[in-house]
Amino acid sequence: MDISRRTVISSLAAGLALPLAGCAAEIRSESLPDTADPTPTPTAPPAPDTVPVTIGVPALPQSLDPALAVDAESHRSSRQVLETLLGVDPNTGAPIPRLASDWTVTKDGLRYTFSLTPDVVFHDGTPLTAELVAANFDRWFRLPQLLGEERMAQLPRLPFASVFGGFAGDEDCRYVECQAIGDRTVTLLLTEPIVFLAAALTSPAFALSSPDSWASFDDALDGTPADELPPAAPAGTGPFRWSDREGPLEDRLVLEADPGYRGKPSIIGPVELSVVAGARQRLRELRRGRLDAFDYVTPETLRPLVQGGAQVLQRDPFSVLYLGMNMNHPILSQLYVRQAVAHAVDRRALAQEYFLEGSSPADEFVPPSLGVANPELTTYDYDPDQATELLGLAGYRGEPLDFLYPVETSRPYLPSPEPVYARLAEDLAEAGFVLNPVPIPWNEDYLKRVSSSTDHAFHLSGRTGEYRDPHHFLEPLFGHHSTEFGYENALVVESLHRAVSRTNSDARTAQYQRAAESVALDLPALPLVYPISAVASGHTLMSYPTSPVLDERFDHIVPVEQPGSSR
């Protein structure tokens, strides 16, 4: 397979560009006839052997290429189209075979060997081979060379760098190469062990795509600015494929069921991901029958959902909301000020009043279920008087502080941004802080703003678990110099680096606890809540798959009506 550098670049660069290519499909009116719109306008009738489903989501994917994305919506859609070497056991969260039928690891942890599932074909007709797997790993390895410094600067800490320690040419990169051995065997070579690598490879960021689908963007590469490149829609092997229709993706993304999917093709399809930014609006659209399900139930929508007979399917808590503090800011650079913030926020009240029942206040950035909590961690009790005293010691005189927070969206860790911001602002004001609210629509590069701006003081953000390991929560935030917080601590970086290769679980936990204590003392950010998130489904669905790591494939949806029945 001849894969040119230009071919790889074009796909990667295209993945940064929005708007995305998509299509419109019908928004159906069904159920609850007293409120349903009686005159839907269908544009694409479903195939007779599938059932169409519309799901309400809060935002568009930021990229159709999961290797370039860290947001939940990008990974929600790419999980349906692209597949990884290893999947996730729905009961335990442990790695299981997917595109790899089995795998082995040498005793020293430096060589992984994967046997590929036979007779797998990508949506563009390309067969899955060992050479193709190696090409994908090489593509991820060389991202900075392929995209260039300017385009890489637009991206957050990407999963390949987080898992393997860097990219090609980086001193700490643990990746050596991926070798094809025949057509159906690949080996992954490392410089040192990565004890969680199998779990990490279940992340959608490591989903495989066909190099032939990268080539369709070659003609647009030369001299084209990143924001004018056509969007990349890499061909995958999953139960769904990107719709073939062209046009700007403004408020929906349509996924078509792949009739040739190995095993049993999905009876669900097409699936329309319809953007409905507000929680109340999503509830209204479900009641009207325009949605079959929606994500991110809030406390204010929970009661009417239950009263209306909807299913509310909760996920186990596996995300963390935090309050970021910019240590490059002249006021937030003072530790007394950051300690004042920590004492000013009533995290218990925040969790109880603005999140679903079962959400809990957070003292660390790693969810408790991962078992590395530090019992001797430095914590900050809610104490507004002490917060005021600390502000006085810092010499703070009421200078306005910009506070960035997202609007027109919901996130797994932040279903209702506006009321959460309002509660935090109230707590901080009581302690003596003067805030300048800066609401930013999510689709206006909110993540880029909080990670690259150096003049704001505070921001709201979070981490959503993609695989079950503490590394996923800590390293992207604190395992390197962070422009998001203006923070780097050599002891934290060293501890997280050592934890990667520690095979003894107690020794590994000790490294994470050491890092957590340093972060707690430095306070570049304040963990707030471990939220419970939930999906609501209406009367048209019998069941909807939920997963703490959001490995929720739409072909596992079970409809009330069977394929071919009238709606």
Side-chain angles (χ1 to χ4, degrees):
M1 181 183 299
D2 182 14
I3 303 170
S4 68
R5 176 181 183 274
R6 190 163 171 264
T7 293
V8 177
I9 298 174
S10 60
S11 172
L12 294 168
L16 297 173
L18 287 174
L20 304 171
C23 70
E26 63 171 314
I27 300 181
R28 292 168 290 99
S29 176
E30 58 189 310
S31 77
L32 299 177
D34 56 324
T35 57
D37 183 344
T39 57
T41 305
T43 60
D49 57 349
T50 60
V51 176
V53 168
T54 301
I55 301 171
V57 295
L60 295 172
Q62 295 193 338
S63 173
L64 298 185
D65 186 339
L68 303 178
V70 296
D71 66 296
E73 295 310 318
S74 295
H75 289 167
R76 184 200 302 274
S77 59
S78 66
R79 283 184 189 273
Q80 317 306 322
V81 178
L82 290 85
E83 296 179 300
T84 47
L85 285 171
L86 304 180
V88 179
D89 185 300
N91 297 315
T92 67
I96 58 175
R98 184 160 284 172
L99 291 181
S101 57
D102 62 73
W103 72 99
T104 60
V105 188
T106 55
K107 289 184 178 181
D108 61 7
L110 301 181
R111 180 188 294 267
Y112 285 68
T113 301
F114 300 91
S115 299
L116 301 183
T117 300
D119 303 321
V120 176
V121 178
F122 286 83
H123 298 149
D124 64 357
T126 304
L128 173 66
T129 64
E131 185 181 357
L132 184 146
V133 175
N136 274 264
F137 273 91
D138 183 62
R139 175 184 186 237
W140 303 326
F141 180 50
R142 297 190 295 126
L143 272 173
Q145 300 172 15
L146 303 174
L147 279 180
E149 185 175 334
E150 179 180 351
R151 285 174 176 150
M152 280 297 295
Q154 300 175 23
L155 297 170
R157 178 76 164 173
L158 294 178
F160 186 92
S162 175
V163 170
F164 290 99
F167 295 105
D170 293 340
E171 181 179 353
D172 293 331
C173 185
R174 305 174 186 91
Y175 175 86
V176 177
E177 64 177 331
C178 182
Q179 298 176 337
I181 302 175
D183 286 338
R184 288 191 48 218
T185 303
V186 292
T187 61
L188 198 60
L189 303 179
L190 308 175
T191 60
E192 60 180 290
I194 302 174
V195 297
F196 56 87
L197 182 57
L201 292 179
T202 68
S203 167
F206 295 102
L208 302 178
S209 58
S210 166
D212 288 344
S213 68
W214 309 341
S216 62
F217 304 96
D218 275 358
D219 292 341
L221 178 64
D222 295 332
T224 304
D227 59 357
E228 297 178 12
L229 285 165
T237 59
F240 296 89
R241 59 174 70 200
W242 311 114
S243 173
D244 291 334
R245 298 185 179 189
E246 298 294 334
L249 178 65
E250 296 178 352
D251 61 359
R252 67 198 66 194
L253 173 66
V254 176
L255 306 174
E256 304 283 355
D258 179 19
Y261 184 67
R262 65 189 185 280
K264 184 179 180 181
S266 174
I267 65 169
I268 299 297
V271 176
E272 177 182 304
L273 299 176
S274 179
V275 176
V276 187
R280 290 180 179 177
Q281 289 79 10
R282 293 194 291 275
L283 171 63
R284 183 179 67 243
E285 295 299 282
L286 184 74
R287 284 173 159 177
R288 290 178 174 177
R290 296 181 182 273
L291 300 177
D292 297 294
F294 72 80
D295 209 349
Y296 309 133
V297 174
T298 63
E300 67 176 348
T301 59
L302 179 61
R303 181 182 295 273
L305 283 167
V306 174
Q307 291 174 339
Q311 295 186 76
V312 177
L313 308 168
Q314 294 190 350
R315 305 179 180 98
D316 292 335
F318 203 57
S319 61
V320 61
L321 170 68
Y322 60 78
L323 172 60
M325 294 183 267
N326 180 8
M327 292 174 63
N328 285 325
H329 190 282
I331 293 175
L332 270 294
S333 64
Q334 300 180 70
L335 180 59
Y336 279 156
V337 174
R338 302 196 301 278
Q339 290 174 338
V341 171
H343 285 296
V345 176
D346 188 347
R347 287 176 276 183
R348 185 168 300 279
L350 186 70
Q352 291 176 347
E353 296 173 15
Y354 298 97
F355 294 86
L356 295 180
E357 185 177 354
S359 302
S360 59
D363 286 320
E364 300 190 51
F365 290 87
V366 179
S369 62
L370 291 179
V372 296
N374 185 345
E376 299 179 0
L377 185 76
T378 297
T379 58
Y380 302 85
D381 295 333
Y382 173 57
D383 189 338
D385 291 336
Q386 186 173 358
T388 301
E389 181 180 347
L390 287 165
L391 282 183
L393 292 173
Y396 176 67
R397 297 293 181 264
E399 298 90 337
L401 301 170
D402 287 353
F403 193 139
L404 279 57
Y405 63 98
V407 294
E408 300 176 15
T409 191
S410 296
R411 315 310 304 161
Y413 49 80
L414 187 59
S416 302
E418 292 90 340
V420 168
Y421 164 76
R423 176 56 195 253
L424 291 171
E426 181 181 344
D427 284 352
L428 292 171
E430 182 182 353
F433 287 93
V434 176
L435 302 181
N436 177 38
V438 185
I440 301 175
W442 177 265
N443 62 4
E444 294 183 9
D445 289 329
Y446 178 77
L447 285 179
K448 180 180 176 182
R449 289 281 300 274
V450 302
S451 63
S452 61
S453 171
T454 58
D455 55 358
H456 71 277
F458 301 110
H459 66 272
L460 279 177
S461 193
R463 292 286 297 172
T464 301
E466 293 176 3
Y467 58 91
R468 295 191 60 81
D469 195 87
H471 182 93
H472 175 66
F473 288 90
L474 291 174
E475 198 283 339
L477 296 177
F478 309 117
H480 58 101
H481 174 73
S482 169
T483 56
E484 179 180 356
F485 310 119
Y487 174 70
E488 182 174 1
N489 181 317
L491 187 148
V492 173
V493 173
E494 178 188 12
S495 297
L496 296 178
H497 181 92
R498 288 180 175 178
V500 169
S501 57
R502 290 289 191 270
T503 56
N504 180 281
S505 61
D506 290 340
R508 192 162 185 254
T509 295
Q511 294 298 329
Y512 286 128
Q513 292 178 344
R514 182 185 185 209
E517 174 64 9
S518 293
V519 171
L521 291 172
D522 292 340
L523 279 174
L526 179 69
L528 297 173
V529 178
Y530 301 124
I532 292 278
S533 67
V535 175
S537 68
H539 303 151
T540 58
L541 302 182
M542 290 183 63
S543 68
Y544 185 100
T546 57
S547 163
V549 295
L550 305 183
D551 184 38
E552 300 170 350
R553 295 214 331 192
F554 299 152
D555 57 327
H556 295 161
I557 292 173
V558 179
V560 171
E561 298 181 2
Q562 294 304 303
S565 61
S566 60
R567 295 181 68 89

